[in-house]
Amino acid sequence: MYDVLSARSVASGPFYATETFWTAAGVAVAVVVGCGAIWAAFRAAHPRRRLNWTVGHAPLVRRPIDGSLEISRNGTQLINPHLVTVVLTNPGRRDIPSSAFDRGEPFRVRLAVPYAELLDTESRPSDAQAPPARLRGAELSIGPGRIGSGTTVTYHVLVDTVPTHDCSHSLLDVRVQCTAAPSPRDPAHPTPLVRTSGHRLS
């Protein structure tokens, strides 16, 4: 009788006290840990590319232009000239190659202005090759072109009015993020644009 009662007591015990349960739980934990290690190793070997972009502007003259002052560029008289800066930064550990521009489509910045001219291109570090840029009307097209890891590229565009903009891109496997322009309280840096719309993020 004692042996029968003991057998029943063991059989009716909680399921988590059985050896089979803990064996299965151990296998499940090992599988989860193994999958996590594989994913971590894959991400370490293939980190996702990243691109930060900023568009800002600042007036060339700090007071309204009246009859005592005239500003012109290549024979075009400017009424309210502003300098627009478009900044692309690759903060990631991987280069963004030219092939990341799907179908060769460039990064586009459309400026709602009657006049625009590309003045200059800067890159940091100084030996970095900036993707080519061109203006078609009031649209700045950037790339395709390689943007190296840790590279910052700045494009300076002269416009004739307070600008607004919208951006679009076709970059593949690149996390694209808009970052804030420098504070407008610093007159040495451009102020944020009035409106941003239409950008597509990967």
Side-chain angles (χ1 to χ4, degrees):
M1 177 64 70
Y2 177 80
D3 293 339
V4 173
L5 290 176
S6 297
R8 288 179 178 177
S9 176
V10 172
S12 61
F15 72 92
Y16 53 79
T18 65
E19 182 177 351
T20 302
F21 169 80
W22 287 109
T23 300
V27 171
V29 170
V31 170
V32 171
V33 171
C35 291
I38 292 172
W39 175 250
F42 175 82
R43 293 302 297 172
H46 303 85
R48 191 174 186 184
R49 299 179 179 93
R50 296 164 56 197
L51 180 68
N52 296 338
W53 61 273
T54 302
V55 181
H57 77 273
L60 290 185
V61 181
R62 294 293 174 178
R63 61 182 179 83
I65 298 177
D66 53 26
S68 62
L69 175 66
E70 291 186 357
I71 298 178
S72 62
R73 174 73 176 177
N74 294 330
T76 300
Q77 185 172 349
L78 306 179
I79 305 302
N80 190 15
H82 282 68
L83 182 65
V84 176
T85 57
V86 179
V87 183
L88 303 182
T89 302
N90 177 1
R93 292 178 293 166
R94 298 183 67 190
D95 294 349
I96 299 174
S98 298
S99 59
F101 291 79
D102 187 29
R103 302 182 306 278
E105 293 293 325
F107 189 100
R108 290 188 169 93
V109 181
R110 288 178 289 272
L111 302 169
V113 294
Y115 171 89
E117 181 181 351
L118 180 61
L119 298 179
D120 190 24
T121 301
E122 300 176 0
S123 59
R124 192 172 67 246
S126 58
D127 59 347
Q129 185 70 31
R134 60 192 178 278
L135 269 171
R136 293 180 177 176
E139 178 180 278
L140 177 65
S141 298
I142 302 172
R146 173 180 169 273
I147 305 176
S149 173
T151 295
T152 296
V153 184
T154 303
Y155 302 90
H156 299 283
V157 181
L158 178 65
V159 300
D160 188 23
T161 190
V162 178
T164 61
H165 81 281
D166 64 76
C167 300
S168 63
H169 71 88
S170 61
L171 291 168
L172 300 173
D173 193 30
V174 179
R175 180 183 178 184
V176 181
Q177 183 177 7
C178 176
T179 57
S183 170
R185 291 175 295 180
D186 183 355
H189 293 87
T191 58
L193 285 172
V194 175
R195 176 179 57 85
T196 303
S197 64
H199 56 274
R200 178 165 58 87
L201 303 183
S202 294

